[in-house]
Amino acid sequence: MTGQVTDVLVVGGGPAATWAALKAAEAGARVVLADKGYCGTSGATAAGGTGVWYVPPEPAAREAAMASREGLGGYLADRRWMARVLDETYHRMNELAAAGRYPFPTGPDGQPLRGGLQGPEYMRRMRIRIRRAGVRVLDHSPVTELLTDADGAVAGAAGYRRQAREPYRVRAGAVVLATGGCAFLSGALGTNTNTGDGALFAAEAGAELSGMEFSNAYGIAPEGTSVTKTAFYTFATFYQEDGSVLEGAASQGGRSAIARELLTGAKVYATLDRAGEQERAAMRLAQPNFFLTFDRLGIDPFTERFSVTLLAEGTVRGTGGIRITADDCSTGVPGLYAAGDAATREEICGGFTGGGSHNAAWAISSGSWAGAGAAGYARALGSDRAAHRTVTGAGGAGLRPTGAAGGAGGHRDAVALVQAQVLPYDKNYLRHGRVLADSLRVLDGAWAALRTSLHGEGADLVKARQAAAMTAHARWMYTAALARTESRGMARRLDHPGQDPKLHHRITVGGLDRPWSRAEVAA
C-alpha cells in the first residue's frame, strides 16, 4: 500500500475541488488532490459549458440577482450567504481571466462577458493552475473511505489507484470533500463519477446533511443521448405522438407534463422553433456539444421534431448535500470541509437550483473558502501531529461487511435496486407520500442486506462503495421528502400540493443504519 502525508487532501476533481486545492496551496499548505477520474476532464462541468452567477458589484444588480430565485427556492436561502457568494465569484472569475488567462469573449460594447464558461477549457486551465501551485494530483484514484483519529477528527483518506492497481493512503491535517452530487448513474452527461461518495464518507465520520428532499431534478435530453441542457428548451414547442401540442410542457413546470406523457408509454417530441436567428447562433456558441448528435444525424432541431426523454440528475442539479456549519465550509466534524455539489446549496438557492449559474458560483466560492479553511486548520494542527497520530478507517457498508462477505459482482444488483426506486418518474419526480414510504422500505431492506454482505476487492471495492453511497443517498432523500409534507422549491408532493408556513425551515438528515430527520431551527 502506498502512503503519503500532506497538510490538505482534496477529494474530487471538478471546479470546487480545483479551487479548494488552489486556495489551500496559496495559503502555504502542502496539497494532494485525489480524483476518481482524470482531473480536468471528469465531472459534469468538464463535459459541457456552464453559466455562472456573475454579477458586478452594483447595488441594484445585486439586489435583483438575490431576489430572482428566492420565491422559487421557497424562501429558504440566506441573503448573507448570497452576498458572500456574489462577491467571491466576482473576484474569482476576474482572477480566472487575469491569472488563469481564460479567453472570455467580449460583448458589442467591448466589455468582457464573464457570465459563462466552456467546461473543457475552464477545467483544463484549472488543472494547469493547481499543478503550477504545487498541488500533487492523483488521477484515477478514487477514495473509498476517510481516516479518523482517536478523537474523531478526520485525518486523511484511503483509496484505490486504478492504473497502478494498488490501494493507497493519504494522511492529512484536513480533508475537503468536493466529490459532486449524486445522479445514480442515470446516464446524464458528465455524471458517471457523481455517485454520492462524499455524502457517505461524511456521514460515516459523523457529519449531517441538509436539503436532501430537493433532489428530484430531471433534465430534458434528446432520446438516446446524455446531453441535458434544459435551458435551451425554453425555446421549444413540445408535441404528442399525433402531432398535437403537449399542453403545459412549455411552462415553468413543464417537465411534469412531459413525465406524465412518457409514463403512458408514448413518445414526446420537441422542436426549438421559438428561437430566433440571434438565439440560435448564441446557443451553438454557448453549447456546441448540444448540437453534435443533431448534426451527425442530419437533424435541424430548430425546424424538425426530435423525441426527448428525462434523465435524473438528483443532487447534481438539486440543492441537497453535506450540511456546512461555518463560513469556511467546515462540517462540524473536526478537520472535514465540504464544497461544491457535495455540500448543500440551500444557503444561496433554498429549495431550487439548476444546471449551472448558482451551482457554478457555489463551486467556485465554497471551494475557495473550504480550501483556505482546511489550510488554516492543518496549520494549527501541525504537520508533525498529522503525520504521526494513530488513524483508523471510518468506512462501513461495502467495505467492512457485518456478516459473511458476498460474492463478486454484488454491487451490480445493489445499483439496479436503488435505480429502480429513484429513476422512475412516478417514484422520485411525481412524488406521493405512499409511494415514497414504499420505496424507502425497499431501500431500507437493501441497505440492511448490503451492510451485511456487500464487499469487493480492488476496483470492485470502488464499485461496492459507490453502490452503498447511492443507496444511502436515496434513503436520506426519501426520509427528508417524507418529512416535508408540502410542496416547496423543487420538493413537490402530489398529496400535499400547497405550501405549509409551519414548514418554512430546512430539514437536516443523518444516520446510516437508521436514518433520521429533524427541523433545522435558525440560530
Side-chain angles (χ1 to χ4, degrees), residues 388-435:
H388 297 104
R389 56 184 168 169
T390 300
V391 300
T392 57
L399 179 61
R400 297 181 179 91
T402 58
H411 57 85
R412 297 187 186 92
D413 291 338
V415 169
L417 189 150
V418 73
Q419 286 180 326
Q421 301 305 319
V422 298
L423 298 186
Y425 313 136
D426 54 352
K427 292 187 178 182
N428 188 20
Y429 189 44
L430 304 172
R431 288 176 169 175
H432 188 286
R434 174 181 47 79
V435 178

Side-chain angles (χ1 to χ4, degrees), residues 175-196:
V175 173
V176 178
L177 292 175
T179 52
C182 183
F184 300 98
L185 298 177
S186 67
L189 183 66
T191 64
N192 60 308
T193 59
N194 297 137
T195 51

Side-chain angles (χ1 to χ4, degrees), residues 182-230:
C182 183
F184 300 98
L185 298 177
S186 67
L189 183 66
T191 64
N192 60 308
T193 59
N194 297 137
T195 51
D197 306 352
L200 176 63
F201 302 155
E204 290 174 332
E208 300 173 340
L209 299 100
S210 183
M212 294 301 289
E213 68 273 34
F214 306 119
S215 51
N216 54 334
Y218 284 73
I220 305 173
E223 187 178 22
T225 80
S226 61
V227 184
T228 53
K229 297 301 176 186
T230 301

Side-chain angles (χ1 to χ4, degrees), residues 122-439:
Y122 173 30
M123 294 313 305
R124 184 181 77 85
R125 289 174 185 267
M126 288 303 295
R127 180 184 176 95
I128 291 171
R129 294 186 73 197
I130 64 173
R131 291 291 299 273
R132 287 178 176 171
V135 175
R136 182 175 183 189
V137 178
L138 303 180
D139 294 309
H140 307 293
S141 300
V143 162
T144 53
E145 67 175 329
L146 295 178
L147 305 175
T148 56
D149 68 12
D151 297 322
V154 170
Y160 181 76
R161 303 208 69 182
R162 296 181 192 272
Q163 294 179 325
R165 297 183 179 179
E166 63 179 12
Y168 74 97
R169 177 177 281 196
V170 179
R171 290 172 174 265
V175 173
V176 178
L177 292 175
T179 52
C182 183
F184 300 98
L185 298 177
S186 67
L189 183 66
T191 64
N192 60 308
T193 59
N194 297 137
T195 51
D197 306 352
L200 176 63
F201 302 155
E204 290 174 332
E208 300 173 340
L209 299 100
S210 183
M212 294 301 289
E213 68 273 34
F214 306 119
S215 51
N216 54 334
Y218 284 73
I220 305 173
E223 187 178 22
T225 80
S226 61
V227 184
T228 53
K229 297 301 176 186
T230 301
F232 285 178
Y233 291 95
T234 58
F235 299 101
T237 302
F238 295 92
Y239 301 92
Q240 296 174 298
E241 283 188 322
D242 63 5
S244 60
V245 172
L246 180 59
E247 297 298 333
S251 64
Q252 189 175 72
R255 269 167 275 187
S256 296
I258 296 171
R260 289 188 175 91
E261 187 71 9
L262 292 172
L263 281 169
T264 68
K267 287 184 177 291
V268 174
Y269 294 86
T271 306
L272 305 180
D273 52 5
R274 295 162 61 192
E277 290 301 322
Q278 186 174 357
E279 288 91 359
R280 296 179 185 188
M283 289 159 70
R284 281 193 171 273
L285 183 64
Q287 300 283 359
N289 62 344
F290 177 85
F291 297 95
L292 288 176
T293 299
F294 299 119
D295 292 343
R296 288 170 179 167
L297 294 175
I299 296 173
D300 180 356
F302 297 110
T303 61
E304 299 178 64
R305 295 179 189 176
F306 55 93
S307 58
V308 298
T309 190
L310 298 175
L311 296 178
E313 293 174 309
T315 52
V316 174
R317 286 204 191 196
T319 68
I322 302 165
R323 182 172 176 260
I324 55 177
T325 58
D327 285 0
D328 60 0
C329 293
S330 51
T331 64
V333 177
L336 185 63
Y337 297 76
D341 291 351
T344 180
R345 281 131 285 161
E346 290 171 297
E347 304 292 0
I348 63 167
C349 299
F352 176 89
T353 184
S357 186
H358 290 60
N359 282 13
W362 175 250
I364 293 168
S365 301
S366 63
S368 298
W369 296 327
Y377 181 93
R379 184 168 52 250
L381 180 70
S383 297
D384 187 65
R385 183 180 173 195
H388 297 104
R389 56 184 168 169
T390 300
V391 300
T392 57
L399 179 61
R400 297 181 179 91
T402 58
H411 57 85
R412 297 187 186 92
D413 291 338
V415 169
L417 189 150
V418 73
Q419 286 180 326
Q421 301 305 319
V422 298
L423 298 186
Y425 313 136
D426 54 352
K427 292 187 178 182
N428 188 20
Y429 189 44
L430 304 172
R431 288 176 169 175
H432 188 286
R434 174 181 47 79
V435 178
L436 289 170
D438 288 344
S439 287

